[in-house]
Amino acid sequence: MTRSPDHGDLNRRAAYASISVAALLLAMKAYAVVTTGSTAMLGSLADTGLDLVASLATLIGVWIGAQPADANHRFGHGKAEALSAMFQVVLISLSALGLAWRAVDELLAGGRPAEAEAGMLVSLVAIGATLLLLAYQRRVIRATGSLAIATDNLHYSSDLVLNLAVIAALALDHWLGLAGADALFAFGIALWLGWGAWGASQAAIEQLMDHEWPLEKRERFLAVVAQHPELKGLHDLRTRTSGNRDFVQFHVWVDGRMTVTEAHRVMDEIEAKLLDAFPGVEILIHPDPDGHVDDAALGAHDLLAPMPDGTSPALLVQGGPIKR
């Protein structure tokens, strides 16, 4: 994925679009809740209100994450996006708990919604606005890889199901007379929100914990490095992602008779090829004389050598020392 200086602008525009849609839907759903008294619609209103707060958090996260590295943050500010995503997860979880409580209370009390047509019309408009926002957000995500925008996109993806559930609940109660349908659908929405919060938290936690790149991405990375004819091997590969920035460091084995100047030339050539294939990645390469092994290293396996069992060498990123 190509990364360029305008990615911060793209992420901010997506956040502004999200805030605008959330504000519009919040006003419409507040009117629908007052008109219908539907608990399912109240759940949709609560979710939209949290979406507005979460979108504001997304805007702050992508703005901070786009700031360049400084003296106190030498690796940049990319993890602000993961923190923003975790904040959104907390909001969604609280919303799910509150909605589930309200749904159970309505089931026990036997409440019924009114003016179902108004509620369904509002939900249909919300679906149309949400579809437009999702299409725009996905374009931005493909261009920037923003975790904060991706988490925000997850919120609005769940909103589609949520709004359909509200329509179904109101229709079943109003036209078929199924008492309790509104509350049951509201409880189902609460479960859906909780599941979405769990899924969204995993990507944010992985980034905060400096999880390694996906296997396929590591394999592509090693394939590029392996093209250099003067390398004797590669080991101790470490990768991570922070916001929309990638970081990688590794050791390579080279001919021990090389001068420092010659080894530096090889490192420069490797870095140039990697930057062509992985634009914007920050690379740190350490040269070792061929045959040198640091037994204390986390991954001293040669990742450019084929595996006897046919598995990918990239699987050995977390491996132990190699026998040479």
Side-chain angles (χ1 to χ4, degrees), residues 22 25-26 29 40-55 88 91-93 95-96 99 130 154-160 162-163 189 192-194:
L25 297 184
L26 187 68
K29 290 181 181 181
M41 180 59 76
L42 177 63
S44 184
L45 171 65
D47 179 66
T48 300
L50 290 174
D51 279 347
L52 179 57
V53 176
S55 295
Q88 295 176 55
L91 289 180
I92 297 171
S93 300
S95 175
L99 181 57
T130 302
L154 175 64
H155 295 172
Y156 287 98
S157 296
S158 67
D159 278 357
L160 291 177
L162 188 149
N163 284 301
I189 290 169
W192 175 269
L193 290 174

Side-chain angles (χ1 to χ4, degrees), residues 238-303:
R238 304 182 188 193
T239 60
R240 67 186 182 94
T241 298
S242 179
N244 64 352
R245 297 186 63 196
D246 287 329
F247 297 86
V248 61
Q249 62 185 66
F250 55 93
H251 292 218
V252 292
W253 283 300
V254 295
D255 189 337
R257 294 167 296 180
M258 276 187 174
T259 64
V260 173
T261 300
E262 291 172 332
H264 190 271
R265 171 187 55 79
V266 172
M267 302 305 105
D268 282 346
E269 292 171 356
I270 295 171
E271 185 172 341
K273 286 185 174 295
L274 287 171
L275 288 174
D276 283 341
F278 297 85
V281 66
E282 186 167 312
I283 303 167
L284 178 63
I285 310 175
H286 178 84
D288 285 328
D290 188 25
H292 172 80
V293 174
D294 181 1
D295 290 329
L298 179 64
H301 293 276
D302 181 3
L303 298 180

Side-chain angles (χ1 to χ4, degrees), residues 105-227:
D105 185 62
E106 182 180 312
L107 276 174
L108 296 176
R112 299 284 297 276
E115 301 291 337
E117 291 87 349
M120 287 187 279
L121 178 61
V122 167
S123 294
L124 286 172
V125 174
I127 288 172
T130 302
L131 285 172
L132 291 174
L133 176 64
L134 288 174
Y136 179 62
Q137 283 182 327
R138 283 166 184 161
R139 284 177 54 196
V140 173
I141 293 167
R142 284 194 296 269
T144 69
S146 169
L147 176 61
I149 299 298
T151 305
D152 208 36
N153 182 265
L154 175 64
H155 295 172
Y156 287 98
S157 296
S158 67
D159 278 357
L160 291 177
V161 178
L162 188 149
N163 284 301
L164 288 171
V166 170
I167 293 173
L170 292 172
L172 288 171
D173 189 285
H174 182 69
W175 286 319
L176 298 183
L178 296 179
D182 182 62
L184 288 173
F185 272 82
F187 192 80
I189 290 169
L191 294 177
W192 175 269
L193 290 174
W195 178 252
W198 170 257
S201 70
Q202 302 310 297
I205 290 172
E206 284 193 355
Q207 224 181 82
L208 290 171
M209 295 297 293
D210 289 333
H211 194 274
E212 290 286 339
W213 289 353
L215 177 62
E216 182 272 336
K217 188 173 181 178
R218 278 180 270 154
E219 288 177 332
R220 288 191 293 112
F221 188 89
L222 291 173
V224 174
V225 178
Q227 295 173 10

